[in-house]
Amino acid sequence: SSSENLNAYKSLEQCWRDLPLIEDQEAFVLPSNQKQEEERLYFGFLLWGKSLSGKLRSKTLGQPLQYSAAAVALVIICLLIVAPWRLTGLLNNSNKIEAYSTTIGEIKTVTLDDGSQITLDGSSAFSVLLSKDKREITLRKGRAYFDIARDEQRPLIVTVGNTFVRVLGTAFDIRKGPRDVRVFVLEGKVAVSDTNSAASSHSKQLTSGKELHANLQGEVEQTLEFDLGKRKTWRDGYLVYNDEYLVDIVEDVNRYRKKPIIIASSLIVI
């Protein structure tokens, strides 16, 4: 009837008046425990709009079209404005990048949603992106130990400058230094290359007990072996060096010093 159409029109007119509030993003930021309820209400709104527009269209024959046409138009406008906003929110939530860092002297272990654990050395930082089809970590500075949960459908890629480390599930240590990037494999195996591709012709396979040095351009300089049973690491409270450049040693030590060591003389071979 005309009265029903008028009521529907007034209801949707109120919806239209409320739409400017969507511009205020904070008004729509809900706690994580309300996410499922928010999505339920949203999709319920879509179904309601679809049902209502169908009912209004079915009553237009033989009835005044003034309110019916306006109501249908408002349903469409509501869906066009609200739906893209909500779908964009859902996509952003599923591809959220999270960042972690440590201060000088701090060692912190982070457990990711997939069960992987990353231990950061002092003055280090990384970011992570986990989605349904990929796992990506970027070591932005410093050093970290990675204990990666196995997932053959989603290989994990660690990016360190121009060096890419691809794994399925293993344990390894990466250090981003001033001269190079170093990878130490403690369990399983990894593939290291200078491109983010599983089919890279420059990919180097590393197994347990192997270490790799790559320059800042991502080119592999050398691979070595180490004794897993005798190797002491920063996670054990040791900083052990053998035939290392002074600049690398100083950077490691400065991760634990509030007053950093500075190499002042240009005559020193660093």
Side-chain angles (χ1 to χ4, degrees):
S1 66
S2 298
S3 60
E4 291 177 348
N5 291 336
L6 177 60
N7 291 335
Y9 171 79
K10 291 181 177 180
S11 175
L12 287 167
E13 185 179 34
Q14 184 61 47
C15 171
W16 170 257
R17 291 173 180 172
D18 291 340
L19 284 176
L21 295 176
I22 294 175
E23 296 178 1
D24 182 6
Q25 294 293 331
E26 293 183 358
F28 286 86
V29 176
L30 298 179
S32 58
N33 62 351
Q34 296 184 21
K35 182 178 179 181
Q36 291 182 347
E37 180 65 15
E38 177 194 21
E39 293 176 4
R40 186 185 67 81
L41 292 174
Y42 165 69
F43 288 111
F45 169 77
L46 291 183
L47 293 175
W48 169 81
K50 181 178 180 181
S51 174
L52 179 59
S53 63
K55 290 179 180 179
L56 291 174
R57 284 196 302 269
S58 68
K59 294 182 178 182
T60 55
L61 294 178
Q63 298 291 339
L65 299 180
Q66 177 183 4
Y67 295 121
S68 296
V72 171
L74 278 175
V75 169
I76 294 173
I77 291 172
C78 287
L79 294 179
L80 288 177
I81 294 178
V82 177
W85 163 77
R86 183 63 191 108
L87 291 176
T88 299
L90 290 174
L91 290 175
N92 289 339
N93 287 337
S94 65
N95 292 279
K96 183 179 180 182
I97 297 177
E98 297 182 335
Y100 302 90
S101 63
T102 53
T103 58
I104 293 175
E106 178 188 14
I107 295 178
K108 177 169 64 179
T109 298
V110 177
T111 301
L112 305 182
D113 291 341
D114 67 344
S116 299
Q117 290 189 324
I118 290 88
T119 301
L120 276 175
D121 196 4
S123 190
S124 299
F126 79 93
S127 59
V128 58
L129 169 63
L130 298 180
S131 67
K132 64 180 182 179
D133 56 356
K134 63 183 176 180
R135 299 184 294 173
E136 297 177 346
I137 293 177
T138 300
L139 181 61
R140 303 197 175 279
K141 70 172 184 175
R143 180 165 47 192
Y145 169 75
F146 301 83
D147 188 357
I148 304 302
R150 188 171 186 83
D151 188 341
E152 296 185 3
Q153 303 302 317
R154 293 187 305 164
L156 183 140
I157 297 176
V158 181
T159 302
V160 193
N162 292 311
T163 299
F164 300 87
V165 182
R166 185 182 182 87
V167 304
L168 292 177
T170 184
F172 55 98
D173 193 292
I174 298 181
R175 174 187 176 276
K176 183 179 184 182
R179 299 182 313 104
D180 59 13
V181 172
R182 302 190 179 186
V183 181
F184 304 84
V185 181
L186 284 76
E187 297 178 15
K189 63 180 180 180
V190 306
V192 183
S193 70
D194 58 356
T195 61
N196 188 2
S197 172
S200 172
S201 59
H202 299 146
S203 180
K204 191 77 174 180
Q205 301 289 326
L206 292 181
T207 56
S208 179
K210 299 287 184 65
E211 68 175 272
L212 177 145
H213 300 185
N215 61 29
L216 298 181
Q217 289 71 47
E219 301 167 339
V220 175
E221 292 186 331
Q222 62 177 330
T223 56
L224 305 169
E225 295 185 1
F226 61 90
D227 190 333
L228 283 170
K230 295 181 179 180
R231 184 172 184 265
K232 299 294 184 181
T233 72
W234 56 274
R235 291 181 295 114
D236 303 313
Y238 293 88
L239 295 176
V240 180
Y241 301 96
N242 180 24
D243 195 22
E244 297 284 353
Y245 284 88
L246 181 60
V247 64
D248 293 325
I249 297 173
V250 169
E251 179 170 281
D252 283 350
V253 173
N254 282 343
R255 299 188 203 286
Y256 305 93
R257 292 177 55 89
K258 292 186 177 181
K259 292 184 177 181
I261 297 172
I262 299 174
I263 302 175
S265 177
S266 60
L267 299 178
I268 298 177
V269 178
I270 60 175

PDB file of all heavy atoms in Angstrom, residues 6-31:
ATOM      1  N   LEU A   6       5.457   4.632   2.035  1.00  0.00           N
ATOM      2  CA  LEU A   6       5.863   5.866   2.689  1.00  0.00           C
ATOM      3  C   LEU A   6       6.739   5.571   3.902  1.00  0.00           C
ATOM      4  O   LEU A   6       7.753   6.230   4.127  1.00  0.00           O
ATOM      5  CB  LEU A   6       4.620   6.666   3.101  1.00  0.00           C
ATOM      6  CG  LEU A   6       4.896   7.967   3.871  1.00  0.00           C
ATOM      7  CD1 LEU A   6       5.737   8.920   3.017  1.00  0.00           C
ATOM      8  CD2 LEU A   6       3.568   8.620   4.276  1.00  0.00           C
ATOM      9  N   ASN A   7       6.350   4.550   4.707  1.00  0.00           N
ATOM     10  CA  ASN A   7       7.148   4.183   5.877  1.00  0.00           C
ATOM     11  C   ASN A   7       8.533   3.695   5.471  1.00  0.00           C
ATOM     12  O   ASN A   7       9.539   4.002   6.106  1.00  0.00           O
ATOM     13  CB  ASN A   7       6.423   3.110   6.685  1.00  0.00           C
ATOM     14  CG  ASN A   7       5.175   3.627   7.367  1.00  0.00           C
ATOM     15  OD1 ASN A   7       5.071   4.830   7.640  1.00  0.00           O
ATOM     16  ND2 ASN A   7       4.227   2.736   7.633  1.00  0.00           N
ATOM     17  N   ALA A   8       8.583   2.900   4.395  1.00  0.00           N
ATOM     18  CA  ALA A   8       9.872   2.402   3.913  1.00  0.00           C
ATOM     19  C   ALA A   8      10.743   3.550   3.446  1.00  0.00           C
ATOM     20  O   ALA A   8      11.945   3.592   3.676  1.00  0.00           O
ATOM     21  CB  ALA A   8       9.655   1.398   2.784  1.00  0.00           C
ATOM     22  N   TYR A   9      10.096   4.506   2.769  1.00  0.00           N
ATOM     23  CA  TYR A   9      10.851   5.669   2.279  1.00  0.00           C
ATOM     24  C   TYR A   9      11.452   6.456   3.451  1.00  0.00           C
ATOM     25  O   TYR A   9      12.611   6.856   3.428  1.00  0.00           O
ATOM     26  CB  TYR A   9       9.933   6.560   1.463  1.00  0.00           C
ATOM     27  CG  TYR A   9      10.560   7.887   1.094  1.00  0.00           C
ATOM     28  CD1 TYR A   9      11.458   7.970   0.030  1.00  0.00           C
ATOM     29  CD2 TYR A   9      10.259   9.039   1.825  1.00  0.00           C
ATOM     30  CE1 TYR A   9      12.042   9.178  -0.303  1.00  0.00           C
ATOM     31  CE2 TYR A   9      10.856  10.241   1.499  1.00  0.00           C
ATOM     32  CZ  TYR A   9      11.746  10.321   0.439  1.00  0.00           C
ATOM     33  OH  TYR A   9      12.323  11.502   0.131  1.00  0.00           O
ATOM     34  N   LYS A  10      10.648   6.677   4.508  1.00  0.00           N
ATOM     35  CA  LYS A  10      11.133   7.435   5.660  1.00  0.00           C
ATOM     36  C   LYS A  10      12.286   6.708   6.359  1.00  0.00           C
ATOM     37  O   LYS A  10      13.233   7.327   6.823  1.00  0.00           O
ATOM     38  CB  LYS A  10       9.983   7.689   6.635  1.00  0.00           C
ATOM     39  CG  LYS A  10       8.939   8.661   6.102  1.00  0.00           C
ATOM     40  CD  LYS A  10       7.829   8.896   7.119  1.00  0.00           C
ATOM     41  CE  LYS A  10       6.815   9.921   6.616  1.00  0.00           C
ATOM     42  NZ  LYS A  10       5.727  10.158   7.581  1.00  0.00           N
ATOM     43  N   SER A  11      12.159   5.371   6.436  1.00  0.00           N
ATOM     44  CA  SER A  11      13.218   4.577   7.064  1.00  0.00           C
ATOM     45  C   SER A  11      14.529   4.700   6.298  1.00  0.00           C
ATOM     46  O   SER A  11      15.599   4.893   6.866  1.00  0.00           O
ATOM     47  CB  SER A  11      12.801   3.106   7.144  1.00  0.00           C
ATOM     48  OG  SER A  11      13.856   2.311   7.645  1.00  0.00           O
ATOM     49  N   LEU A  12      14.447   4.613   4.992  1.00  0.00           N
ATOM     50  CA  LEU A  12      15.652   4.698   4.171  1.00  0.00           C
ATOM     51  C   LEU A  12      16.192   6.115   4.105  1.00  0.00           C
ATOM     52  O   LEU A  12      17.390   6.336   3.973  1.00  0.00           O
ATOM     53  CB  LEU A  12      15.353   4.183   2.765  1.00  0.00           C
ATOM     54  CG  LEU A  12      15.196   2.669   2.682  1.00  0.00           C
ATOM     55  CD1 LEU A  12      14.601   2.274   1.344  1.00  0.00           C
ATOM     56  CD2 LEU A  12      16.522   1.978   2.885  1.00  0.00           C
ATOM     57  N   GLU A  13      15.293   7.094   4.236  1.00  0.00           N
ATOM     58  CA  GLU A  13      15.743   8.480   4.275  1.00  0.00           C
ATOM     59  C   GLU A  13      16.618   8.711   5.507  1.00  0.00           C
ATOM     60  O   GLU A  13      17.624   9.421   5.454  1.00  0.00           O
ATOM     61  CB  GLU A  13      14.544   9.416   4.288  1.00  0.00           C
ATOM     62  CG  GLU A  13      14.941  10.897   4.198  1.00  0.00           C
ATOM     63  CD  GLU A  13      13.720  11.804   4.196  1.00  0.00           C
ATOM     64  OE1 GLU A  13      12.728  11.452   4.875  1.00  0.00           O
ATOM     65  OE2 GLU A  13      13.759  12.840   3.522  1.00  0.00           O
ATOM     66  N   GLN A  14      16.261   8.062   6.633  1.00  0.00           N
ATOM     67  CA  GLN A  14      17.073   8.167   7.842  1.00  0.00           C
ATOM     68  C   GLN A  14      18.437   7.518   7.638  1.00  0.00           C
ATOM     69  O   GLN A  14      19.462   8.006   8.107  1.00  0.00           O
ATOM     70  CB  GLN A  14      16.346   7.519   9.032  1.00  0.00           C
ATOM     71  CG  GLN A  14      17.089   7.677  10.364  1.00  0.00           C
ATOM     72  CD  GLN A  14      17.246   9.136  10.747  1.00  0.00           C
ATOM     73  OE1 GLN A  14      16.297   9.917  10.684  1.00  0.00           O
ATOM     74  NE2 GLN A  14      18.459   9.517  11.137  1.00  0.00           N
ATOM     75  N   CYS A  15      18.432   6.383   6.908  1.00  0.00           N
ATOM     76  CA  CYS A  15      19.698   5.717   6.565  1.00  0.00           C
ATOM     77  C   CYS A  15      20.602   6.663   5.791  1.00  0.00           C
ATOM     78  O   CYS A  15      21.793   6.757   6.032  1.00  0.00           O
ATOM     79  CB  CYS A  15      19.429   4.450   5.759  1.00  0.00           C
ATOM     80  SG  CYS A  15      20.902   3.673   5.060  1.00  0.00           S
ATOM     81  N   TRP A  16      20.012   7.385   4.847  1.00  0.00           N
ATOM     82  CA  TRP A  16      20.769   8.330   4.038  1.00  0.00           C
ATOM     83  C   TRP A  16      21.365   9.438   4.906  1.00  0.00           C
ATOM     84  O   TRP A  16      22.513   9.852   4.732  1.00  0.00           O
ATOM     85  CB  TRP A  16      19.854   8.921   2.971  1.00  0.00           C
ATOM     86  CG  TRP A  16      20.468  10.085   2.238  1.00  0.00           C
ATOM     87  CD1 TRP A  16      20.210  11.400   2.396  1.00  0.00           C
ATOM     88  CD2 TRP A  16      21.460   9.999   1.209  1.00  0.00           C
ATOM     89  NE1 TRP A  16      20.962  12.143   1.541  1.00  0.00           N
ATOM     90  CE2 TRP A  16      21.743  11.309   0.805  1.00  0.00           C
ATOM     91  CE3 TRP A  16      22.107   8.932   0.595  1.00  0.00           C
ATOM     92  CZ2 TRP A  16      22.670  11.599  -0.187  1.00  0.00           C
ATOM     93  CZ3 TRP A  16      23.036   9.212  -0.392  1.00  0.00           C
ATOM     94  CH2 TRP A  16      23.311  10.527  -0.773  1.00  0.00           C
ATOM     95  N   ARG A  17      20.571   9.930   5.880  1.00  0.00           N
ATOM     96  CA  ARG A  17      21.081  10.988   6.753  1.00  0.00           C
ATOM     97  C   ARG A  17      22.237  10.515   7.616  1.00  0.00           C
ATOM     98  O   ARG A  17      23.110  11.302   7.995  1.00  0.00           O
ATOM     99  CB  ARG A  17      19.941  11.498   7.644  1.00  0.00           C
ATOM    100  CG  ARG A  17      18.860  12.266   6.865  1.00  0.00           C
ATOM    101  CD  ARG A  17      17.679  12.594   7.763  1.00  0.00           C
ATOM    102  NE  ARG A  17      16.653  13.332   7.032  1.00  0.00           N
ATOM    103  CZ  ARG A  17      15.459  13.618   7.525  1.00  0.00           C
ATOM    104  NH1 ARG A  17      15.133  13.202   8.754  1.00  0.00           N
ATOM    105  NH2 ARG A  17      14.580  14.299   6.806  1.00  0.00           N
ATOM    106  N   ASP A  18      22.221   9.236   7.957  1.00  0.00           N
ATOM    107  CA  ASP A  18      23.274   8.685   8.814  1.00  0.00           C
ATOM    108  C   ASP A  18      24.555   8.384   8.059  1.00  0.00           C
ATOM    109  O   ASP A  18      25.607   8.188   8.661  1.00  0.00           O
ATOM    110  CB  ASP A  18      22.806   7.398   9.492  1.00  0.00           C
ATOM    111  CG  ASP A  18      21.717   7.673  10.524  1.00  0.00           C
ATOM    112  OD1 ASP A  18      21.622   8.847  10.959  1.00  0.00           O
ATOM    113  OD2 ASP A  18      21.000   6.723  10.880  1.00  0.00           O
ATOM    114  N   LEU A  19      24.506   8.311   6.721  1.00  0.00           N
ATOM    115  CA  LEU A  19      25.677   7.903   5.955  1.00  0.00           C
ATOM    116  C   LEU A  19      26.887   8.799   6.131  1.00  0.00           C
ATOM    117  O   LEU A  19      28.016   8.315   6.089  1.00  0.00           O
ATOM    118  CB  LEU A  19      25.322   7.803   4.466  1.00  0.00           C
ATOM    119  CG  LEU A  19      24.527   6.558   4.091  1.00  0.00           C
ATOM    120  CD1 LEU A  19      24.150   6.614   2.612  1.00  0.00           C
ATOM    121  CD2 LEU A  19      25.324   5.293   4.374  1.00  0.00           C
ATOM    122  N   PRO A  20      26.768  10.128   6.303  1.00  0.00           N
ATOM    123  CA  PRO A  20      27.973  10.938   6.492  1.00  0.00           C
ATOM    124  C   PRO A  20      28.829  10.488   7.655  1.00  0.00           C
ATOM    125  O   PRO A  20      30.021  10.758   7.700  1.00  0.00           O
ATOM    126  CB  PRO A  20      27.409  12.356   6.721  1.00  0.00           C
ATOM    127  CG  PRO A  20      26.116  12.345   5.966  1.00  0.00           C
ATOM    128  CD  PRO A  20      25.569  10.956   6.162  1.00  0.00           C
ATOM    129  N   LEU A  21      28.235   9.807   8.630  1.00  0.00           N
ATOM    130  CA  LEU A  21      29.011   9.317   9.768  1.00  0.00           C
ATOM    131  C   LEU A  21      30.070   8.320   9.339  1.00  0.00           C
ATOM    132  O   LEU A  21      31.059   8.106  10.039  1.00  0.00           O
ATOM    133  CB  LEU A  21      28.080   8.669  10.799  1.00  0.00           C
ATOM    134  CG  LEU A  21      27.074   9.600  11.483  1.00  0.00           C
ATOM    135  CD1 LEU A  21      26.176   8.779  12.388  1.00  0.00           C
ATOM    136  CD2 LEU A  21      27.783  10.697  12.257  1.00  0.00           C
ATOM    137  N   ILE A  22      29.895   7.689   8.178  1.00  0.00           N
ATOM    138  CA  ILE A  22      30.867   6.701   7.718  1.00  0.00           C
ATOM    139  C   ILE A  22      32.222   7.344   7.474  1.00  0.00           C
ATOM    140  O   ILE A  22      33.256   6.704   7.559  1.00  0.00           O
ATOM    141  CB  ILE A  22      30.357   6.004   6.439  1.00  0.00           C
ATOM    142  CG1 ILE A  22      29.128   5.181   6.780  1.00  0.00           C
ATOM    143  CG2 ILE A  22      31.408   5.136   5.787  1.00  0.00           C
ATOM    144  CD1 ILE A  22      28.462   4.543   5.586  1.00  0.00           C
ATOM    145  N   GLU A  23      32.204   8.654   7.159  1.00  0.00           N
ATOM    146  CA  GLU A  23      33.473   9.331   6.937  1.00  0.00           C
ATOM    147  C   GLU A  23      34.334   9.323   8.185  1.00  0.00           C
ATOM    148  O   GLU A  23      35.548   9.423   8.120  1.00  0.00           O
ATOM    149  CB  GLU A  23      33.216  10.751   6.483  1.00  0.00           C
ATOM    150  CG  GLU A  23      32.498  10.828   5.121  1.00  0.00           C
ATOM    151  CD  GLU A  23      32.224  12.253   4.714  1.00  0.00           C
ATOM    152  OE1 GLU A  23      32.608  13.155   5.492  1.00  0.00           O
ATOM    153  OE2 GLU A  23      31.643  12.465   3.645  1.00  0.00           O
ATOM    154  N   ASP A  24      33.712   9.246   9.346  1.00  0.00           N
ATOM    155  CA  ASP A  24      34.464   9.163  10.591  1.00  0.00           C
ATOM    156  C   ASP A  24      34.848   7.721  10.837  1.00  0.00           C
ATOM    157  O   ASP A  24      34.090   6.937  11.367  1.00  0.00           O
ATOM    158  CB  ASP A  24      33.603   9.698  11.741  1.00  0.00           C
ATOM    159  CG  ASP A  24      34.350   9.688  13.071  1.00  0.00           C
ATOM    160  OD1 ASP A  24      35.559   9.382  13.047  1.00  0.00           O
ATOM    161  OD2 ASP A  24      33.721   9.980  14.097  1.00  0.00           O
ATOM    162  N   GLN A  25      36.072   7.352  10.440  1.00  0.00           N
ATOM    163  CA  GLN A  25      36.494   5.954  10.514  1.00  0.00           C
ATOM    164  C   GLN A  25      36.497   5.431  11.946  1.00  0.00           C
ATOM    165  O   GLN A  25      36.221   4.268  12.186  1.00  0.00           O
ATOM    166  CB  GLN A  25      37.903   5.818   9.902  1.00  0.00           C
ATOM    167  CG  GLN A  25      37.959   6.096   8.415  1.00  0.00           C
ATOM    168  CD  GLN A  25      37.211   5.052   7.620  1.00  0.00           C
ATOM    169  OE1 GLN A  25      37.107   3.904   8.048  1.00  0.00           O
ATOM    170  NE2 GLN A  25      36.704   5.411   6.468  1.00  0.00           N
ATOM    171  N   GLU A  26      36.836   6.317  12.910  1.00  0.00           N
ATOM    172  CA  GLU A  26      36.929   5.856  14.288  1.00  0.00           C
ATOM    173  C   GLU A  26      35.588   5.366  14.813  1.00  0.00           C
ATOM    174  O   GLU A  26      35.528   4.507  15.687  1.00  0.00           O
ATOM    175  CB  GLU A  26      37.463   6.982  15.172  1.00  0.00           C
ATOM    176  CG  GLU A  26      38.908   7.342  14.870  1.00  0.00           C
ATOM    177  CD  GLU A  26      39.441   8.404  15.799  1.00  0.00           C
ATOM    178  OE1 GLU A  26      38.665   8.878  16.656  1.00  0.00           O
ATOM    179  OE2 GLU A  26      40.608   8.760  15.664  1.00  0.00           O
ATOM    180  N   ALA A  27      34.504   5.917  14.274  1.00  0.00           N
ATOM    181  CA  ALA A  27      33.179   5.511  14.734  1.00  0.00           C
ATOM    182  C   ALA A  27      32.893   4.069  14.372  1.00  0.00           C
ATOM    183  O   ALA A  27      31.998   3.454  14.937  1.00  0.00           O
ATOM    184  CB  ALA A  27      32.117   6.425  14.132  1.00  0.00           C
ATOM    185  N   PHE A  28      33.676   3.498  13.414  1.00  0.00           N
ATOM    186  CA  PHE A  28      33.429   2.145  12.954  1.00  0.00           C
ATOM    187  C   PHE A  28      34.542   1.184  13.336  1.00  0.00           C
ATOM    188  O   PHE A  28      34.588   0.077  12.861  1.00  0.00           O
ATOM    189  CB  PHE A  28      33.245   2.141  11.431  1.00  0.00           C
ATOM    190  CG  PHE A  28      31.920   2.707  11.012  1.00  0.00           C
ATOM    191  CD1 PHE A  28      31.771   4.068  10.844  1.00  0.00           C
ATOM    192  CD2 PHE A  28      30.826   1.880  10.821  1.00  0.00           C
ATOM    193  CE1 PHE A  28      30.554   4.593  10.467  1.00  0.00           C
ATOM    194  CE2 PHE A  28      29.610   2.398  10.447  1.00  0.00           C
ATOM    195  CZ  PHE A  28      29.461   3.768  10.272  1.00  0.00           C
ATOM    196  N   VAL A  29      35.469   1.618  14.186  1.00  0.00           N
ATOM    197  CA  VAL A  29      36.525   0.726  14.640  1.00  0.00           C
ATOM    198  C   VAL A  29      36.019  -0.043  15.849  1.00  0.00           C
ATOM    199  O   VAL A  29      35.803   0.532  16.915  1.00  0.00           O
ATOM    200  CB  VAL A  29      37.801   1.516  15.004  1.00  0.00           C
ATOM    201  CG1 VAL A  29      38.849   0.578  15.564  1.00  0.00           C
ATOM    202  CG2 VAL A  29      38.329   2.237  13.774  1.00  0.00           C
ATOM    203  N   LEU A  30      35.833  -1.333  15.699  1.00  0.00           N
ATOM    204  CA  LEU A  30      35.291  -2.153  16.775  1.00  0.00           C
ATOM    205  C   LEU A  30      36.378  -3.028  17.366  1.00  0.00           C
ATOM    206  O   LEU A  30      37.324  -3.404  16.681  1.00  0.00           O
ATOM    207  CB  LEU A  30      34.174  -3.046  16.235  1.00  0.00           C
ATOM    208  CG  LEU A  30      32.955  -2.315  15.662  1.00  0.00           C
ATOM    209  CD1 LEU A  30      31.960  -3.354  15.140  1.00  0.00           C
ATOM    210  CD2 LEU A  30      32.299  -1.437  16.697  1.00  0.00           C
ATOM    211  N   PRO A  31      36.260  -3.390  18.651  1.00  0.00           N
ATOM    212  CA  PRO A  31      37.199  -4.344  19.234  1.00  0.00           C
ATOM    213  C   PRO A  31      37.165  -5.658  18.480  1.00  0.00           C
ATOM    214  O   PRO A  31      36.162  -6.011  17.857  1.00  0.00           O
ATOM    215  CB  PRO A  31      36.677  -4.506  20.675  1.00  0.00           C
ATOM    216  CG  PRO A  31      35.865  -3.275  20.934  1.00  0.00           C
ATOM    217  CD  PRO A  31      35.274  -2.887  19.617  1.00  0.00           C
TER     218      PRO A  31
END
